[in-house]
Amino acid sequence: MFARLSQISRQLRPASSILRSPLATRPSMAASAAQSHLRATLHTAACLIIGDEVLNGKTKDSNSAYLARYCFSLGINLQRVEVIADDADEISEAVVRMSNRYNAVFTSGGIGPTHDDITYQSIASAFNLPLVLHDEAFERMKKLSRPHPSQPNFSYDTPSPALDAKKRMVILPYDSSVPDKDQVRFVADDLWVPVSVVNGNVHILPGVPRLFERLLDGLRPVLAPRVADPGGKGTTRILFSTPLAESEVAGYLTELSEKVKEKGIKVGSYPRWGKGRNTVTLVGRDGEYMESLVKEVEKGVKGRRVGREDEDDEGAGSDKDT
């Protein structure tokens, strides 16, 4: 283990000196793209879950679900979620593609102290950026991070494989042409973990759900003013419970979808096997117009508006075409 950590430290130690290298003072090839992404209105988002442990079933991903609810509440359309392995080429390809296509990208996982945590390195390579020991992040780590009980003799002042491993978590992709505050964000006074923002729109977050959620929530004041409705209305979802089979309401829902699409409203239909009732939804940003449709939709699906999907489940029978 110590031999492996020593090898890692030899690979990463030069990164701290990049702050003084010619590369660190040279404008990034993607500088203009980064600045453009930082100014863009946030309409769309994508999520990249990174980790072998998710793909092999060891860990269940909950971060994408949290991000979906988060984006919905802000009024950002989460359009894509991908799960990929701890593979540098896979990570690099995915983040570049997503950064080019979506207003905001959120990654989860792969930024710890061990050899398989390669997200920072892979994203730095993807955007042709150096890796830099971020001084403020390191100082916050020293102030706010306590040594593990298994490391009673650990010291930030004494070189060691453990110290080199910890530094991996604050050696970040860095673009000298972008203001520091726009690419390294600290969202809470009691957290040392930074949110590294690369190319102006790739937000690198840890995979630990508690930290992922805390950091994401901390970004809300930064992201909310950039959405299409900065007043914070977000997106509205109206649920309807119907006793009809999906095939029975399909014709009406097709007509309704055509009627409301110019208003940016989506009509959804969701079977609920064994519950006796299915769910129809309206999702959009024009809440007033959607409210005006409630009576019409209730009549069209022979159901009623509900606050949650299972509201009418009691005593229900079969719900699905067979």
Side-chain angles (χ1 to χ4, degrees), residues 119-131:
T119 297
Y120 283 148
Q121 298 97 302
S122 303
I123 293 179
S125 176
F127 293 100
N128 199 26
L129 295 172
L131 283 167

Side-chain angles (χ1 to χ4, degrees), residues 135-152:
D135 290 337
E136 183 179 357
F138 188 41
E139 290 304 313
R140 288 173 68 97
M141 173 190 278
K142 289 191 283 187
K143 178 181 178 181
L144 299 171
S145 176
R146 297 179 180 179
H148 191 272
S150 66
Q151 300 172 310

Side-chain angles (χ1 to χ4, degrees), residues 70 136 140 144 181 184-197 203-206 210-223:
Y70 177 86
E136 183 179 357
R140 288 173 68 97
L144 299 171
K181 66 180 179 63
V184 183
R185 299 192 182 277
F186 301 99
V187 303
D189 290 339
D190 62 336
L191 283 179
W192 65 264
V193 183
V195 178
S196 176
V197 184
H203 304 76
I204 308 174
L205 299 168
R210 180 172 58 87
L211 275 175
F212 180 90
E213 295 171 11
R214 182 89 187 278
L215 293 172
L216 198 59
D217 290 343
L219 285 174
R220 184 178 286 268
V222 177
L223 301 179

Side-chain angles (χ1 to χ4, degrees), residues 36-232:
S36 177
H37 289 150
L38 286 166
R39 294 191 298 267
T41 300
L42 301 179
H43 294 289
T44 63
C47 177
L48 183 64
I49 305 296
I50 301 167
D52 293 341
E53 68 277 9
V54 178
L55 290 170
N56 64 29
K58 178 182 179 295
T59 301
K60 181 179 180 181
D61 166 53
S62 63
N63 290 343
S64 60
Y66 190 87
L67 178 63
R69 294 190 293 270
Y70 177 86
C71 288
F72 187 89
S73 71
L74 282 172
I76 301 172
N77 185 12
L78 180 62
Q79 294 190 329
R80 190 172 191 87
V81 175
E82 292 186 20
V83 182
I84 63 174
D86 293 306
D87 180 279
D89 291 339
E90 292 277 347
I91 296 170
S92 296
E93 184 278 328
V95 294
V96 170
R97 170 169 43 83
M98 288 180 168
S99 180
N100 289 337
R101 185 168 181 178
Y102 304 101
N103 300 132
V105 180
F106 301 90
T107 76
S108 165
I111 59 173
T114 59
H115 71 285
D116 56 343
D117 294 309
I118 59 172
T119 297
Y120 283 148
Q121 298 97 302
S122 303
I123 293 179
S125 176
F127 293 100
N128 199 26
L129 295 172
L131 283 167
V132 171
L133 176 65
H134 193 269
D135 290 337
E136 183 179 357
F138 188 41
E139 290 304 313
R140 288 173 68 97
M141 173 190 278
K142 289 191 283 187
K143 178 181 178 181
L144 299 171
S145 176
R146 297 179 180 179
H148 191 272
S150 66
Q151 300 172 310
N153 299 318
F154 175 81
S155 170
Y156 283 104
D157 299 320
T158 304
S160 67
L163 176 58
D164 289 333
K166 283 180 178 292
K167 283 184 177 180
R168 286 176 63 96
M169 296 183 283
V170 288
I171 294 178
L172 312 176
Y174 203 82
D175 187 340
S176 61
S177 68
V178 176
D180 185 79
K181 66 180 179 63
D182 290 331
Q183 60 178 318
V184 183
R185 299 192 182 277
F186 301 99
V187 303
D189 290 339
D190 62 336
L191 283 179
W192 65 264
V193 183
V195 178
S196 176
V197 184
V198 176
N199 203 35
N201 67 347
V202 179
H203 304 76
I204 308 174
L205 299 168
V208 178
R210 180 172 58 87
L211 275 175
F212 180 90
E213 295 171 11
R214 182 89 187 278
L215 293 172
L216 198 59
D217 290 343
L219 285 174
R220 184 178 286 268
V222 177
L223 301 179
R226 296 177 53 203
V227 300
D229 58 346

Side-chain angles (χ1 to χ4, degrees), residues 241 275 277 304 306 308-316:
S241 173
K275 299 300 182 182
R277 303 184 74 88
R304 72 183 189 99
V306 293
R308 63 179 193 277
E309 279 195 308
D310 62 355
E311 197 169 306
D312 285 348
D313 281 358
E314 187 176 354

